[in-house]
Amino acid sequence: LQHGVGVEVVAALVGRSGETLTSLDLSNNGLGTEGCQTLSAALGRLTALAQLDLSSNMLLLEGAQAVASSLVHLHLLASLNLRDNTMGFEGYTAIAQCLGQHPHLKD
């Protein structure tokens, strides 16, 4: 999935998983900003998702904002890994603002 290549296929598959997918690990795939923006709409449809790992994907600020927009729909999210992304203070702030709506989040 380096630099968004193939992310459209993954986004389509993820989007079809809807209420059944509980864990998604896309760490170390080099999604980048564009890949995260493509994936964010599909992530928002994963209503049963409890674990999400997007670590080491070069998300940057715009990628963090895209992820944040999908987090508001993931009410069962218990674990979120965003380590080793260059999101900066504004990116982490965008994510943090959404996390207050997740009573199950522990990690």
Side-chain angles (χ1 to χ4, degrees):
L1 298 180
Q2 290 293 321
H3 306 292
V5 176
V7 76
E8 293 87 4
V9 174
V10 172
L13 292 171
V14 165
R16 290 183 186 159
S17 299
E19 298 176 2
T20 59
L21 190 65
T22 60
S23 181
L24 181 60
D25 184 346
L26 292 174
S27 61
N28 298 300
N29 276 294
L31 293 174
T33 296
E34 187 177 323
C36 253
Q37 290 170 334
T38 301
L39 192 60
S40 69
L43 287 176
R45 292 191 294 270
L46 299 177
T47 56
L49 196 66
Q51 296 177 325
L52 177 60
D53 188 344
L54 295 174
S55 61
S56 301
N57 273 298
M58 301 178 290
L59 301 187
L60 306 177
L61 171 60
E62 294 82 8
Q65 291 169 330
V67 170
S69 70
S70 63
L71 288 179
V72 297
H73 305 287
L74 306 179
H75 300 289
L76 298 178
L77 192 65
S79 176
L80 175 64
N81 187 349
L82 294 171
R83 274 183 272 181
D84 299 323
N85 284 295
T86 313
M87 295 188 274
F89 180 77
E90 289 181 49
Y92 284 108
T93 300
I95 298 290
Q97 289 175 341
C98 296
L99 296 182
Q101 303 171 21
H102 293 83
H104 302 287
L105 194 65
K106 297 175 182 150
D107 185 26

